Amino acid sequence: MNASEPHFARRAVLIGAAAALLAACGPAGKSEPVDAAAAPSPPVAPAAPVVTVLGDSITAGYGLAAADALPAQLEAALAGEGVNVQVRGAGVSGDTTAGGLARVDFSVQDDSAVCVVALGGNDMLQGVAPSQVRANLDAIVGKLQARGVGVVLAGMRAPPQYGGYAADFDKVFVEVAKTRKIALYPFLLDGVALDHRFNQDDGIHPNPQGVRLIAERLAPVVAEALRKARP
């Protein structure tokens, strides 16, 4: 071997390596593009629409396990109607329409498609003037509508022994629903109030069976509101 042979040997190795690299890259020395379709990402299921229930102790599930409270039972009842939703509770025990008005902007989040407003029972127990209850409810609904949130108003009724107050109070919910052109579920406790089979020992708050009955009757109204709500 003469002095130039090591030089030619190294050159041959380098040329061979370059040729192998070009062959791997394909024609003209360009790398082959990766076919994205060959390894597709798994489809992402669309998020279920959100229904928020703005209310008091009935919404909060007073005396009940979370699974027995209105938000969970309403979600189950809607699922039974073939409507896939997430029902979010925004209930505060003892809350009035004034309290609901004060917190509606942060209690009902922006991802809510529909809000069920279920307030008024504590106003009635405290003797709040029906005109003030009406003004509060109207303001709550107005705030929600301004944000594009659909609304279902769940009414309450005063006992007949409340006399003239009862008549004025009961009309509030009908008037707000008519003025604001929203869905009305006339009486949240329909079929449950004063029936010991569906109430806890205090005779006021529904037991799990009572809540289930409320949810089953309320679900079709909420389902219809969802169909009309924003996409």
Side-chain angles (χ1 to χ4, degrees):
M1 179 180 294
N2 58 38
S4 63
E5 286 181 343
H7 170 75
F8 288 115
R10 289 194 299 272
R11 185 177 179 186
V13 170
L14 290 174
I15 290 172
L21 179 60
L22 288 172
C25 290
K30 295 181 181 179
S31 60
E32 293 292 333
V34 176
D35 186 359
S41 299
V44 178
V50 174
V51 173
T52 299
V53 188
L54 180 71
D56 48 33
S57 56
I58 296 174
T59 301
Y62 175 87
L64 302 175
D68 293 325
L70 183 57
Q73 296 227 42
L74 179 58
E75 184 172 311
L78 285 163
E81 301 241 343
V83 182
N84 178 36
V85 297
Q86 175 190 352
V87 178
R88 184 181 294 149
V92 174
S93 293
D95 212 1
T96 61
T97 56
L101 176 57
R103 64 186 178 87
V104 62
D105 287 337
F106 63 86
S107 288
V108 182
Q109 298 177 30
D110 288 338
D111 61 351
S112 300
V114 168
C115 178
V116 179
V117 179
L119 291 162
N122 290 309
D123 297 73
M124 180 262 295
L125 293 173
Q126 296 175 22
V128 177
S131 59
Q132 186 59 57
V133 177
R134 187 189 190 287
N136 292 340
L137 288 173
D138 184 75
I140 290 171
V141 175
K143 281 177 172 285
L144 293 169
Q145 289 181 322
R147 293 164 52 193
V149 179
V151 183
V152 172
L153 182 60
M156 292 298 293
R157 289 179 181 166
Q161 58 265 34
Y162 278 48
Y165 179 94
D168 292 340
F169 179 84
D170 293 354
K171 288 190 298 185
V172 161
F173 302 91
V174 177
E175 292 169 351
V176 172
K178 183 177 180 180
T179 300
R180 288 289 178 176
K181 296 180 173 59
I182 58 174
L184 173 67
Y185 184 72
F187 184 30
L188 183 64
L189 299 177
D190 184 38
V192 173
L194 305 179
D195 190 328
H196 71 277
R197 296 174 300 171
F198 299 123
N199 286 280
Q200 300 179 46
D201 292 342
D202 62 11
I204 297 174
H205 295 93
N207 60 23
Q209 293 74 29
V211 176
R212 185 175 303 113
L213 182 58
I214 293 170
E216 289 172 352
R217 294 186 174 189
L218 180 60
V221 182
V222 176
E224 180 62 22
L226 278 166
R227 283 189 280 270
K228 296 178 178 177
R230 65 187 180 186

